[in-house]
Amino acid sequence: MGFKHLFKAALNWTSNKKEQDLSLKVYSKSHQVKIEGKPILNVSAAKAFKGDPELYNPEDLLLSSLVSCHMMSYLYVCSQNGIEVLEYSDSAEATLEVFADGSGRFVEVKLYPKVKISNSDQIKLALELHQKANQLCFIANSCNFPVLHEASCEIA
């Protein structure tokens, strides 16, 4: 039997319009997300959608969640298989398709994990375990688009 965890976040946004701006149809996209006991996260839309390019945007955060969750799942399966991971890095890409009506969706995410391990005899297994990590990743399991991996592994 499984169990459930509840995660909570609070969002706060305030209009930056002044009385003379009331006829404008563009709202500020910047806002704050608060999660109890953690620093406030300042968020906006992506620059392409008239947001503040210096702030995180939901698309950044979704991709960041996938990269982070995959790494943690991967480290878990490596530990279960006796692989000593010495370094892990990734430079992921997410493809967002936007339609004429303004709607859109992610159609694919590609992860490019680069792993350094201590034992050269385990390189093949270390590469194969990315698939197992993807099967365990909470975030990847919640997505309706493919999360692909082009992994590399070397000896440190």
Side-chain angles (χ1 to χ4, degrees):
M1 177 194 269
F3 52 94
K4 294 182 181 182
H5 290 275
L6 178 65
F7 294 86
K8 295 181 179 184
L11 183 139
N12 291 306
W13 173 87
T14 303
S15 174
N16 65 349
K17 291 184 177 188
K18 297 180 176 40
E19 286 186 37
Q20 65 268 26
D21 293 345
L22 291 179
S23 64
L24 293 178
K25 295 182 179 182
V26 178
Y27 288 99
S28 166
K29 308 290 194 301
S30 298
H31 57 282
Q32 294 183 326
V33 175
K34 297 178 183 179
I35 298 170
E36 189 175 323
K38 298 178 184 177
I40 291 172
L41 187 59
N42 292 303
V43 181
S44 188
K47 181 179 179 182
F49 307 112
K50 299 180 176 42
D52 184 339
E54 294 185 13
L55 299 179
Y56 293 106
N57 59 65
E59 296 81 11
D60 291 334
L61 298 172
L62 177 73
L63 182 57
S64 299
S65 295
L66 278 164
V67 170
S68 181
C69 189
H70 182 79
M71 183 205 68
M72 289 184 281
S73 297
Y74 182 76
L75 293 175
Y76 170 75
V77 296
C78 283
S79 70
Q80 297 297 301
N81 285 274
I83 295 177
E84 182 183 17
V85 178
L86 303 173
E87 292 181 28
Y88 184 106
S89 64
D90 201 335
S91 55
E93 299 174 345
T95 303
L96 176 69
E97 185 175 30
V98 179
F99 305 106
D101 67 358
S103 67
R105 65 184 291 272
F106 281 100
V107 294
E108 179 181 85
V109 165
K110 287 185 182 177
L111 304 180
Y112 298 93
K114 294 181 181 181
V115 179
K116 290 186 180 180
I117 63 174
S118 61
N119 184 344
S120 62
D121 295 334
Q122 296 177 314
I123 288 179
K124 183 176 185 263
L125 177 59
L127 289 169
E128 292 170 354
L129 288 176
H130 285 284
Q131 183 61 36
K132 180 64 175 173
N134 191 64
Q135 292 170 353
L136 294 177
C137 175
F138 304 147
I139 307 301
N141 284 326
S142 302
C143 295
N144 65 352
F145 50 83
V147 179
L148 309 173
H149 309 90
E150 293 185 26
S152 65
C153 183
E154 61 185 53
I155 304 307

